[in-house]
Amino acid sequence: MYFSYLVMQLYTTLTMKDNISINPWELLSGMPAGVLVMDRHFHAEYINPVISRYFTLYDLNTLLEQCRRGEAVPLYYAEQPDKMIRFSDLSIVKAFNSGFKTKSELLLFYFDEKKYFIDMVTNPIIDEYGKVTASVTIINNHTDRFNKNILLRQSVADAEYKSQIKDKYLANISHEIRTPMTSILGYISLMQQTELTDEQYLYSNAVKSAGTNMLNIINDLLDVSKIEQGRLQLNIKKFAVRDLCNSVLIMMRQLIEEKDIHLDFKIDEAIPEYLEGDPVRITQIIVNLLSNAIKFTEEGSVSLALTLIDTSDNDHHLIQIAVKDTGIGIEPEKINVIFDRFTQATEDISRTYGGAGLGLSIVKNIVDLANGQIVVKSTPGVGSEFQVTMMFKEVEMEELHQKKSKVKLMSSLKVNILVAEDNPLNQKLVKTILDRLGVNTTIAGDGQKAYDILSEGHKFDLILMDIQMPKMDGYTVTEKIRKELNLQVPIVAMTAHALEGEKDRCLKSGMSGFLAKPFKYEELVETINIFCSPAMSPNN
């Protein structure tokens, strides 16, 4: 605005140049923007050096004359680069016609096989009779800014594309990992329903606990955005702290036996038997710290100790979880670095001991989320001690150990279920569970087979639908069942996909419910009870 005003003042001065000793044209020549002065016949009287880099005054007037005759200008709209602007739409013409200052849209022109993006602001010069006698046009070059915007938009588009690729990859890898976990945890649950010795039950419980915790860790690692954005959450539950520690020690037994070291465990007698916290995250902390301690210790011992530090009131207790080893130790300047993601104390650590450098970063995130504190004490060649301090609430034993009635089907009617599942182990697992429940089960090994069975007229009370199957995926099958076969039988997604939004996508595709793999026995029974009650059955 001020720049245009200044040029206008200079132009006015030019018409009175007999009163000054300095040529104002020299002042215009130093302007950073292009300056074009035209008379009322659209004839260029002056161009400053910025414009003369591209056109001589003669060439410009020749071009303007051609534009007036052909009503077309070799300028294009930046947002519509294939649309040439009309001469009458130029700001210089509009300013003459209206008598008001006029600004153009962002325009594009080509010169020397290069693109230039400009805009034009035209101020009309009006005489004492109110007539437009000339105009001063300021031409601003926005090429650098526009190119940066193009690069920015391209970067955003690339980022969105990469995000889509990442989500697709995570969905696939989630399915591949969670599918075998479904079989592992499912068969453990079935085994625990058989006659087992106390030792067998103890070991099966340890496997089940390890599998459950592995699954929860996988969930966090797969959801990269959750880790990157710090969106980990605590799931507060009641748990038996000594049982949790014993399960972890059983998990660590094999690692200890592979080395000539001792694993010691001590828990303060003053620590209550039952606490409230996130048992999965607590297990994750202890497992990561113990695994590191064992990995970096070749001789001597590793110890786990839980100590009651303080009791703020009758219910809340400050407890320290300490893992100590006689391993290689950490250099003082590396202690702060070891909590960074994908970082280890030295470059040869990964080659010598393995690992991705994620464990301690996850531990730190969990401790921070719980408003706790982690302290490291280490001496190179002597060993390290990691101390985690967190607050826990004490709970009564009867609150934790409530008797549960045996889960059974509510319906006294014979239930018919179609299972669309391509994995042979999971087929057998689901069929075994359903057979024990007295359910008539039909297995379809892929989406197309499921569709064919239904199109033949077979009736079912419920369909358990895997999402990722060969020939036809679960979404496609569901849409065809709803639209082509016009069937309203309940369809429950039985999916190993663990990404956010997967449940909503299943429901929007026409499914009735969602059962995440690996599912628990009780969850499957509850699903059948919900969708196969007499009131819900589409066959009644």
Side-chain angles (χ1 to χ4, degrees), residues 73 182 184 252 270 289:
V73 185
T182 300
I184 293 170
M252 296 293 108
L289 294 180

Side-chain angles (χ1 to χ4, degrees), residues 141-197:
N141 187 349
H142 298 287
T143 303
D144 289 343
R145 178 178 63 83
F146 194 82
N147 286 338
K148 287 178 182 178
N149 287 339
I150 291 175
L151 291 174
L152 179 60
R153 285 196 293 266
Q154 185 61 48
S155 297
V156 172
D158 290 345
E160 291 176 349
Y161 174 74
K162 290 177 181 178
S163 178
Q164 292 172 359
I165 295 297
K166 181 195 73 175
D167 289 344
K168 186 176 181 180
Y169 168 77
L170 289 177
N172 289 333
I173 201 69
S174 168
H175 184 274
E176 295 303 319
I177 294 175
R178 291 170 69 88
T179 295
M181 287 302 299
T182 300
S183 297
I184 293 170
L185 294 177
Y187 283 111
I188 286 292
S189 294
L190 288 176
M191 185 177 71
Q192 289 185 333
Q193 295 177 26
T194 64
E195 293 295 329
L196 299 175
T197 66

Side-chain angles (χ1 to χ4, degrees), residues 83-368:
K83 183 179 179 181
M84 187 177 289
I85 190 169
R86 291 172 58 85
F87 182 75
S88 57
D89 291 332
L90 287 174
S91 64
I92 54 175
V93 178
K94 288 183 175 181
F96 267 100
N97 293 335
S98 67
F100 296 102
K101 175 182 174 181
T102 307
K103 183 177 180 179
S104 73
E105 298 180 44
L106 191 64
L107 305 174
L108 164 68
F109 83 92
Y110 296 89
F111 183 82
D112 217 8
E113 297 184 352
K114 294 182 180 179
K115 291 182 178 180
Y116 293 88
F117 297 91
I118 62 171
D119 69 16
M120 297 188 293
V121 181
T122 301
N123 290 273
I125 307 300
I126 302 174
D127 63 14
E128 65 270 21
Y129 302 107
K131 294 182 178 181
V132 178
T133 59
S135 68
V136 178
T137 300
I138 310 302
I139 302 175
N140 299 296
N141 187 349
H142 298 287
T143 303
D144 289 343
R145 178 178 63 83
F146 194 82
N147 286 338
K148 287 178 182 178
N149 287 339
I150 291 175
L151 291 174
L152 179 60
R153 285 196 293 266
Q154 185 61 48
S155 297
V156 172
D158 290 345
E160 291 176 349
Y161 174 74
K162 290 177 181 178
S163 178
Q164 292 172 359
I165 295 297
K166 181 195 73 175
D167 289 344
K168 186 176 181 180
Y169 168 77
L170 289 177
N172 289 333
I173 201 69
S174 168
H175 184 274
E176 295 303 319
I177 294 175
R178 291 170 69 88
T179 295
M181 287 302 299
T182 300
S183 297
I184 293 170
L185 294 177
Y187 283 111
I188 286 292
S189 294
L190 288 176
M191 185 177 71
Q192 289 185 333
Q193 295 177 26
T194 64
E195 293 295 329
L196 299 175
T197 66
D198 290 343
E199 186 176 16
Q200 288 172 333
Y201 192 83
L202 178 67
Y203 290 154
S204 68
N205 243 358
V207 173
K208 187 175 182 179
S209 176
T212 301
N213 281 289
M214 179 182 176
L215 180 66
N216 282 279
I217 294 169
I218 288 170
N219 290 341
D220 288 337
L221 293 177
L222 289 177
D223 194 351
V224 174
S225 62
K226 183 184 293 184
I227 295 176
E228 290 175 346
Q229 298 174 29
R231 293 192 291 111
L232 289 173
Q233 295 181 350
L234 297 178
N235 186 15
I236 305 301
K237 298 179 180 178
K238 304 176 182 70
F239 67 97
V241 62
R242 287 168 176 78
D243 288 349
L244 183 149
C245 291
N246 286 330
S247 295
V248 171
L249 293 176
I250 292 173
M251 283 187 253
M252 296 293 108
R253 182 177 296 176
Q254 183 176 353
L255 292 178
I256 287 292
E257 290 175 352
E258 291 174 355
K259 293 190 171 185
D260 187 21
I261 58 177
H262 300 285
L263 176 59
D264 301 319
F265 171 58
K266 181 179 180 181
I267 183 168
D268 194 331
E269 293 182 359
I271 293 177
E273 191 71 24
Y274 304 99
L275 300 173
E276 191 174 69
D278 188 332
V280 171
R281 301 301 184 191
I282 302 304
T283 300
Q284 198 171 349
I285 290 172
I286 298 175
V287 166
N288 273 322
L289 294 180
L290 279 177
S291 297
N292 275 352
I294 294 169
K295 180 167 63 174
F296 297 122
T297 302
E298 296 301 328
E299 58 182 19
S301 65
V302 172
S303 66
L304 169 64
L306 275 68
T307 307
L308 180 63
I309 302 299
D310 186 31
T311 300
S312 59
D313 54 44
N314 292 333
D315 294 332
H316 291 81
H317 305 278
L318 187 65
I319 296 175
Q320 181 189 86
I321 303 170
V323 174
K324 189 175 182 179
D325 65 64
T326 57
I328 61 176
I330 307 167
E331 296 290 341
E333 64 271 14
K334 297 293 185 180
I335 286 180
N336 290 330
V337 177
I338 60 175
F339 293 108
D340 294 340
R341 197 173 302 145
F342 304 112
T343 302
Q344 296 188 333
T346 61
E347 293 182 0
D348 64 337
I349 287 290
S350 181
R351 292 192 298 271
T352 305
Y353 297 96
L358 272 175
L360 290 179
S361 174
I362 294 173
V363 169
K364 183 70 164 58
N365 285 333
I366 297 171
V367 173
D368 290 345

Side-chain angles (χ1 to χ4, degrees), residues 414-430:
K414 200 66 176 177
V415 177
N416 298 291
I417 295 179
L418 172 63
V419 178
E421 168 66 64
D422 64 307
N423 184 277
L425 282 176
N426 287 340
Q427 288 177 2
K428 187 174 181 180
L429 171 64
V430 175

Side-chain angles (χ1 to χ4, degrees), residues 420 447-448 450-451 454 463 465-467 469 472-493 502 504-512:
Q448 183 63 55
Y451 179 80
L454 290 166
I463 300 173
M465 182 75 71
D466 188 19
I467 296 300
M469 294 183 291
M472 193 185 298
D473 63 44
Y475 297 118
T476 305
V477 181
T478 299
E479 290 177 2
K480 290 171 72 70
I481 291 172
R482 298 300 190 218
K483 295 178 180 179
E484 296 181 10
L485 302 180
N486 198 28
L487 296 177
Q488 298 307 311
V489 56
I491 302 174
V492 174
E502 191 67 32
D504 289 339
R505 186 181 175 189
C506 289
L507 297 177
K508 287 179 180 178
S509 71
M511 296 183 188
S512 314

Side-chain angles (χ1 to χ4, degrees), residues 444-459:
D446 57 64
Q448 183 63 55
K449 182 64 176 176
Y451 179 80
D452 292 341
I453 291 173
L454 290 166
S455 63
E456 291 169 1
H458 297 281
K459 302 293 184 181

